[in-house]
Amino acid sequence: MSTIYDFTVLDTKRQPVSLAQYKGKVLLVVNTATGCGFTPQYESLEALYKKHHDAGLVILDFPCNQFAGQAPGTEEEIVSFCQLKYNVSFPQFAKIKVNGDEAAPLYKWLKEQKSGIFGKAIKWNFTKFLIDREGNVIDRYAPTTKPEDIEKDILKLL
C-alpha cells in the first residue's frame, strides 16, 4: 500500500468503503472514543470540518475501544452520541483496533508512515494523522494536541 487511497474500511453499518473516494482531499484521520478525557475534542474537530470542508478538508473518525474501554457502545450508539452531543457531521466508521496483531491494516500503515514520540504504537485515543491531497501522511499529532492547533498545518495543504 502506497497511499491512504489503497485502503478499504467499514462504515458504521459495517459496509465496505474505499478511501479512494477521498482522492484530492486533505484528510485528518482520528481514532476516537466517546468516554475519554479527550472526547470534547469532537467539538473542535467538527468546527474545523465545518470551517474547511468546502476547501477540501475531510475528517475520518475511527472509534477505538482499546484504551480503557472508552468506546464501549455499538456503532449506532457512538454515532447517535456524537450527533446529539457534538453535532458531528464528518464521516464516521466502524470501531477498529489500532494496536496489536488485530490492528486495522489502515492503522498499521499509518503507524509505519509516521511514528509518535513513543514509537509506532498509538498511545491513546484522539491520535491524529494529517494526510495531503495525494494520500501521503504528512504528520502525526498526540492526543493532547488540540484540533485547533493543527489548523495552521491543514491550511498549508488546502
Side-chain angles (χ1 to χ4, degrees):
M1 305 284 183
S2 59
T3 72
I4 197 167
Y5 309 131
D6 298 323
F7 292 90
T8 297
V9 297
L10 297 178
D11 68 14
T12 58
K13 305 248 188 270
R14 315 240 8 116
Q15 296 301 308
V17 174
S18 170
L19 295 183
Q21 71 177 297
Y22 299 110
K23 278 186 179 175
K25 304 288 186 184
V26 172
L27 304 176
L28 189 64
V29 179
V30 188
N31 62 298
T32 61
T34 53
C36 175
F38 298 115
T39 299
Q41 286 188 19
Y42 269 119
E43 187 172 351
S44 301
L45 288 167
E46 179 63 18
L48 266 182
Y49 181 69
K50 283 186 174 169
K51 185 174 180 182
H52 300 295
H53 177 68
D54 289 344
L57 174 66
V58 180
I59 294 172
L60 305 180
D61 175 5
F62 291 91
C64 177
N65 198 37
Q66 277 190 294
F67 304 99
Q70 294 182 340
T74 64
E75 280 83 359
E76 294 79 17
E77 290 168 337
I78 290 169
V79 167
S80 178
F81 170 86
C82 292
Q83 288 176 348
L84 290 172
K85 184 144 175 91
Y86 298 106
N87 296 311
V88 166
S89 60
F90 48 79
Q92 294 183 283
F93 297 90
K95 286 179 12 178
I96 62 165
K97 292 187 177 176
V98 298
N99 288 328
D101 292 340
E102 296 180 26
L106 171 63
Y107 266 79
K108 288 180 181 178
W109 179 80
L110 288 168
K111 295 184 301 183
E112 285 296 320
Q113 304 306 302
K114 286 285 180 195
S115 293
I117 194 164
F118 296 108
K120 291 189 190 308
I122 302 293
K123 181 181 176 186
W124 206 257
N125 283 311
F126 289 89
T127 297
K128 302 154 198 79
F129 290 88
L130 183 60
I131 316 292
D132 69 12
R133 291 181 185 271
E134 288 75 46
N136 305 302
V137 179
I138 299 303
D139 214 339
R140 174 177 172 164
Y141 305 90
T144 54
T145 303
K146 296 176 183 171
E148 56 268 28
D149 294 338
I150 301 172
E151 186 172 20
K152 65 186 179 321
D153 296 337
I154 291 169
L155 288 172
K156 291 176 193 171
L157 299 177
L158 291 174

